[in-house]
Amino acid sequence: MMQIDRLYEAVAEKGPVCVGLDTDISYLPEGFADSALTAGENIVRYNRALIDATQGVAGCYKVQIAYYEALGLDGLRAYRDTLRILAEKNLVAIADIKRGDIAKTAEMYAKAHMDGEFEADFVTLAPYMGLDSLTPYTKYMQEKGKGVFVLCRTSNAGAKDFEYEKLADGRHVYDLVGDKVSEMGRAYMGAHGYSSMGLVIGGTHIEEAKEIRAKYRDSFFLIPGYGAQGGKAEDIAQYLWKGNGGTVNSSRGILLAYKKQPGVAFDEAAYNECVDMKGAIADACAKL
């Protein structure tokens, strides 16, 4: 099965919440870490507990590699082991690696993250060196059903430095990216009408939300920005299509939910946050 179909079906069954496992060692509750274990091993323990608690109410999981690279080899082992937990549980895993190189280098990135020890179902990519920075990944899309999410219009304030710049024909740079990736992605369509080449569309800028959703009907969206970055359910809902067609990431909001729920265990607090997030988005979608 193509991973984009697995993701669509997971969202249909469990909702659009994407749990961001951007786990810093400082996020672990006081007293949780075992002094006999490394930082990476303790992070894996924490991730496993969160995954166990939330797997029934999360459509997928996103693992941001930078948090693991920062710990060196210990962290990379934790990254690998976290992806293995997700694979063993048959949960959809997005590797947030944001690679953007070309030629043999891109081939090696694709091999590293779509096969072998760091294998994930999806990866995030930066397209600004051109479409040939994406083509090395298509082999794995064809042969293994993998998927990619390409940075298009992101959630950070700096998105307006480049992505919002106007072209001679009146389009924004993000329109150019979305148009070209959408066109390229038509060769990799899943059974539910979405391409294996999805788009990263930030949920914090809502002015053109309806236009973007209508324009890229065949593109599944990875939507960052909910919660800690300021994205609200009523904003996010505009990027979904009947509650699907996208997955909404929250990282710190879920990882640190226990800090806003005094007396509640961290894994239970994460579950509660996912349920609340899922409900809020569903309510907002119902009002559209």
Side-chain angles (χ1 to χ4, degrees):
M1 177 185 284
M2 296 175 69
Q3 298 305 325
I4 191 62
D5 292 328
R6 281 187 67 222
L7 179 54
Y8 178 92
E9 292 170 11
V11 170
E13 177 187 353
K14 303 177 185 179
V17 173
C18 174
V19 175
L21 296 173
D22 308 358
T23 314
D24 185 82
I25 190 68
S26 67
Y27 295 171
L28 276 57
E30 185 177 355
F32 176 83
D34 184 339
S35 61
L37 301 177
T38 67
E41 288 168 340
N42 277 303
I43 285 173
V44 172
R45 287 177 60 233
Y46 187 67
N47 287 348
R48 185 186 292 277
L50 287 179
I51 293 166
D52 287 344
T54 61
Q55 61 185 322
V57 290
C60 62
Y61 294 79
K62 182 177 74 67
V63 190
Q64 166 50 257
I65 196 170
Y67 285 79
Y68 301 85
E69 289 176 329
L71 294 175
L73 293 178
D74 181 40
L76 288 176
R77 282 189 289 268
Y79 177 79
R80 176 201 63 192
D81 292 347
T82 297
L83 290 173
R84 283 181 177 174
I85 292 168
L86 295 171
E88 288 165 1
K89 292 177 172 291
N90 197 33
L91 300 170
V92 178
I94 302 171
D96 194 357
I97 60 174
K98 295 186 178 72
R99 300 301 194 250
D101 218 316
I102 58 170
K104 290 298 293 185
T105 304
E107 288 181 25
M108 292 300 103
Y109 279 138
K111 182 178 180 180
H113 295 282
M114 290 186 156
D115 200 1
E117 289 192 293
F118 297 148
E119 181 176 359
D121 303 311
F122 292 84
V123 298
T124 58
L125 302 176
Y128 286 95
M129 286 185 75
L131 294 178
D132 56 350
S133 68
L134 308 180
T135 51
Y137 298 84
T138 60
K139 168 187 174 183
Y140 298 91
M141 294 162 63
Q142 292 170 325
E143 296 178 0
K144 302 184 70 173
K146 300 296 187 181
V148 302
F149 285 107
V150 181
L151 298 179
C152 182
R153 204 218 49 192
T154 54
S155 60
N156 58 309
K160 297 195 174 181
D161 294 340
F162 301 121
E163 296 168 18
Y164 279 77
E165 286 295 303
K166 288 286 189 75
L167 305 171
D169 62 8
R171 290 182 297 168
H172 300 93
V173 170
Y174 70 73
D175 290 314
L176 174 65
V177 172
D179 290 351
K180 285 187 175 291
V181 173
S182 179
E183 181 180 357
M184 185 177 178
R186 292 193 184 103
Y188 311 99
M189 298 299 296
H192 296 292
Y194 289 97
S195 170
S196 293
M197 300 191 82
L199 298 172
V200 177
I201 302 289
T204 53
H205 308 298
I206 63 166
E207 297 81 4
E208 53 283 318
K210 291 181 180 178
E211 175 187 348
I212 289 175
R213 180 68 277 178
K215 189 176 184 182
Y216 304 122
R217 178 65 186 87
D218 298 339
S219 299
F220 206 93
F221 293 167
L222 172 57
I223 308 168
Y226 185 91
Q229 293 188 50
K232 300 177 181 177
E234 54 267 34
D235 303 333
I236 298 294
Q238 298 181 63
Y239 293 104
L240 299 174
W241 181 260
K242 297 180 180 179
N244 209 318
T247 183
V248 186
N249 183 75
S250 177
S251 299
R252 284 169 290 168
I254 295 172
L255 294 171
L256 298 174
Y258 69 90
K259 292 194 173 184
K260 295 183 179 180
Q261 300 177 42
V264 178
F266 72 91
D267 49 352
E268 182 181 354
Y271 170 83
N272 293 340
E273 177 64 21
C274 287
V275 170
D276 291 347
M277 179 179 168
K278 175 182 175 180
I281 294 171
D283 289 346
C285 286
K287 295 174 181 176
L288 292 178

